[in-house]
Amino acid sequence: MTRLDVLALSGSLRRGSLNTALLREAERLVPHLRFDHYDGLGALPHFNEDQEHPAPLAVTDLRRRVRDADAVLIATPEYNASIPGALKNGLDWLSRPAGDDGPALALKPVAVVGASPGPFGTVRAQLALRQVLHKMNAHVVQQPEFLLFQAHQQFGEDGRLPDGSPAQRLLSDVLDALARLAAPGARRHETAAAVR
Ligand SMILES: Cc1cc2nc3c(=O)[nH]c(=O)nc-3n(C[C@H](O)[C@H](O)[C@H](O)COP(=O)(O)O)c2cc1C
């Protein structure tokens, strides 16, 4: 199986994050995917058009890591029925072209997952995130969807999803779908560049 490089991006900044745990579980599940865990969202400056040229170093690093990856896996918390501000800020930086290059996430295969201790499992945050990624012209895995509700009860003390659990199987299916979308030669439909 082709080895693919995946940039794992957690929308949570906190140490005990359920969403970051989800990304660690994803890495353990699929050995043929090489994970680069990005944890710099909290260090990005607030997006400001006046500070785009030259781009801050932290932004250049994020863009490079997105470009170097074959695919991106985003785990988003739900804050007030949407995505956390830090994640939106990172996406706003990524939506902007850098030099002659287009936006780093444009045409990039992306999968979205999310975990919440609540009963809805980040469904509203994921809808909001998909809308942003659509505008950015990313290639987003549509099916299966992965929503982990009551997530604090689903992880074991080892920080893992139980082997063979429905959640673990579904996460594995999402990663398979992402790998298929990112595989060399995969047919991805290119849409016209977004109008700005
Ligand atoms: C400001 C704030 C708003 C929140 N709003 C929601 C919400 O709308 N829906 C939800 O399911 N959980 C909500 N939560 C709870 C988060 O789902 C919970 O804190 C979760 O653990 C955050 O993800 P993390 O564990 O990856 O940090 C909110 C938490 C915070 C701090």
Side-chain angles (χ1 to χ4, degrees):
M1 191 158 300
T2 320
R3 281 185 73 86
L4 297 171
D5 291 309
V6 175
L7 182 74
L9 209 166
S10 172
S12 175
L13 306 185
R14 77 183 185 97
R15 268 190 305 277
S17 163
L18 296 163
N19 286 279
T20 306
L22 205 51
L23 295 175
R24 296 280 171 199
E25 175 71 5
E27 179 177 24
R28 284 185 291 254
L29 265 182
V30 189
H32 64 272
L33 300 181
R34 259 190 312 256
F35 274 66
D36 172 19
H37 290 274
Y38 178 75
D39 64 359
L41 273 190
L44 292 176
H46 290 166
F47 178 79
N48 180 342
E49 285 192 70
D50 293 339
Q51 291 175 10
E52 284 194 276
H53 309 293
L57 281 180
V59 172
T60 309
D61 172 62
L62 172 59
R63 286 182 176 146
R64 181 188 55 74
R65 287 165 71 172
V66 170
R67 274 188 212 295
D68 286 352
D70 299 302
V72 176
L73 175 63
I74 303 177
T76 184
E78 182 167 287
Y79 281 2
N80 298 306
S82 190
I83 58 175
L87 176 57
K88 180 64 164 55
N89 184 52
L91 293 171
D92 287 341
W93 278 114
L94 286 173
S95 73
R96 305 289 283 176
D100 292 338
D101 295 330
L105 264 180
L107 307 180
K108 185 70 71 176
V110 179
V112 170
V113 296
S116 163
F120 304 122
T122 69
V123 64
R124 295 165 298 187
Q126 289 196 37
L127 285 172
L129 179 54
R130 284 173 185 277
Q131 184 177 354
V132 174
L133 292 169
H134 177 76
K135 166 66 180 164
M136 293 170 71
N137 213 11
H139 282 295
V140 183
V141 170
Q142 302 297 345
Q143 295 289 338
E145 293 175 89
F146 183 97
L147 307 145
L148 196 63
F149 58 94
Q150 296 175 343
H152 58 304
Q153 295 172 359
Q154 308 242 21
F155 287 98
E157 290 196 349
D158 57 357
R160 295 209 54 179
L161 296 173
D163 279 341
S165 61
Q168 195 191 55
R169 286 203 303 270
L170 189 57
L171 183 58
S172 182
D173 289 346
V174 171
L175 295 169
D176 284 348
L178 181 62
R180 278 197 302 275
L181 194 62
R187 287 193 57 184
R188 294 196 288 272
H189 180 67
E190 296 206 5
T191 56
V195 176
R196 297 187 170 269

